[in-house]
Amino acid sequence: MKPLGEAPRDHNHVTVGVDGSPASERAVRWAAATAAGRKIPLHLVHAVDFAPSGWTKLPFFRPSQVFEWSEVEAQALLKEAAETAETVAPDLEITAELALTGSAKWLVELSRTSRMIVLGATGSTKLGEAFLGSTPVSVAGHAECPVVVVRGPEGSVPDERPVVVGVDGSPASRKAVELAFEEASWRGVDLVAVHVWSDLKVGEIDESPLDFDPRAFEEYEHSLLSECLAGYGERYPDVTVHRKVYVDGPRAHLRSWSGKAQLVVVGTRGRGGFKGMVLGSTGNALMREAHCPVMVVRPATT
């Protein structure tokens, strides 16, 4: 492992957050397998956040001593994470970096020079909760690269299950489709494109007192999905696509599909009837409830 602080200088590496929790360990394993499969380096990062610890308010607080303790602990966490990554991919190039600062802002900064940010679903320690508790939501909403929150039981990467992508025609959704095709092609699996044209919960349309026939919109919704997928078949002829169109319940349908998938890809912001793709709703829920890793993608910046 390279010395602490010697971060990669290009964009072609996977960055993973480390906090010592079981969720973090699963994230490290997933990230290591992903980086090794793409033949790119793995960058381990750990941020020490003193705000939730309360140490700074103690009368005997000695900043230099606490910083020293924290750095020693952090280095041990990073070393352990590197050893975990090496059990997955012995020949993987691994670097590590430590920051005595808030994690979310730092991870967003790192996203500008990373191919992918990988985080565990939860944290278990005081510092870990600050690093990997609510952090994924904040990072996924602002990162400039895809953010993967590793959920579900640990498995091989890749495996035979499909990649699932949420489609609504918004810029974030279109970027998600592009990356979902790339992921499915690399993994050698099918792609399931899920389009839910209403953000209402399952059954709410049927219970509506209004005279409304969703079948009248079915042809248009299938056309919209076809438009969103257009061109990718030529770019990725090895990927078989299964199209699934539902009237309502984006959160329920994507969560259900996550139980059959190895990765779910969603955009950060939806539009029109698929507002549930906004992080505050479906995307946020998937990061908490999905049965497999979730990749959150922001639209390309200009």
Side-chain angles (χ1 to χ4, degrees):
M1 185 175 72
K2 291 184 179 181
L4 290 176
E6 192 170 334
R9 297 182 180 180
D10 59 30
H11 288 71
N12 203 28
H13 61 273
V14 174
T15 297
V16 57
V18 175
D19 77 340
S21 68
S24 170
E25 181 178 349
R26 289 192 294 272
V28 169
R29 290 182 179 277
W30 192 94
T34 299
R38 287 169 166 78
K39 296 181 171 55
I40 58 177
L42 176 68
H43 188 48
L44 308 171
V45 298
H46 177 71
V48 179
D49 189 351
F50 295 100
S53 67
W55 292 339
T56 55
K57 298 180 180 179
L58 296 177
F60 53 83
F61 176 71
R62 295 173 55 188
S64 61
Q65 187 177 43
V66 174
F67 290 164
E68 182 179 348
W69 291 341
S70 299
E71 185 173 4
V72 170
E73 180 183 3
Q75 289 176 348
L77 286 176
L78 290 170
K79 181 180 179 181
E80 183 178 351
E83 292 171 350
T84 297
E86 288 171 350
T87 64
V88 176
D91 298 326
L92 180 63
E93 180 182 350
I94 303 173
T95 60
E97 187 173 4
L98 167 66
L100 299 176
T101 185
S103 57
K105 183 178 179 180
W106 183 45
L107 285 168
V108 172
E109 290 288 334
L110 291 174
S111 75
R112 298 184 179 125
T113 56
S114 300
R115 182 165 177 177
M116 181 186 301
I117 297 286
V118 181
L119 300 173
T122 59
S124 61
T125 63
K126 284 185 177 180
L127 299 181
E129 287 172 1
F131 190 46
L132 296 178
S134 60
T135 295
V137 175
S138 177
V139 176
H142 298 88
E144 295 188 13
C145 71
V147 175
V148 177
V149 177
V150 178
R151 295 193 53 80
E154 185 175 332
S156 59
V157 181
D159 57 33
E160 297 180 352
R161 293 172 297 170
V163 170
V164 172
V165 60
V167 184
D168 76 336
S170 68
S173 165
R174 292 180 184 275
K175 185 63 177 178
V177 168
E178 177 183 349
L179 291 182
F181 267 96
E182 179 184 315
E183 290 291 329
S185 178
W186 171 68
R187 296 161 189 270
V189 298
D190 293 355
L191 176 65
V192 178
V194 177
H195 174 57
V196 185
W197 59 267
S198 168
D199 62 346
L200 296 175
K201 295 180 180 179
V202 173
E204 286 189 349
I205 287 182
D206 293 336
E207 297 172 358
S208 172
L210 300 177
D211 185 10
F212 178 75
D213 184 2
R215 291 173 296 180
F217 297 87
E218 186 172 359
E219 182 177 350
Y220 170 79
E221 298 303 331
H222 279 280
S223 297
L224 176 61
L225 179 57
S226 296
E227 179 186 343
C228 294
L229 300 176
Y232 291 106
E234 290 75 16
R235 290 173 56 183
Y236 299 96
D238 56 323
V239 177
T240 299
V241 181
H242 304 274
R243 307 180 185 199
K244 303 294 180 180
V245 177
Y246 303 98
V247 174
D248 50 20
R251 171 176 172 175
H253 288 298
L254 286 172
R255 182 175 56 198
S256 176
W257 272 106
S258 75
K260 311 167 191 175
Q262 62 174 289
L263 179 70
V264 172
V265 185
V266 296
T268 54
R269 298 193 302 271
R271 184 180 63 187
F274 209 26
K275 293 178 182 177
M277 294 304 294
V278 177
L279 263 183
S281 182
T282 298
N284 196 335
L286 285 172
M287 287 192 289
R288 300 192 315 268
E289 303 170 0
H291 304 294
C292 72
V294 178
M295 175 184 286
V296 181
V297 182
R298 293 184 70 215
T301 56
T302 56

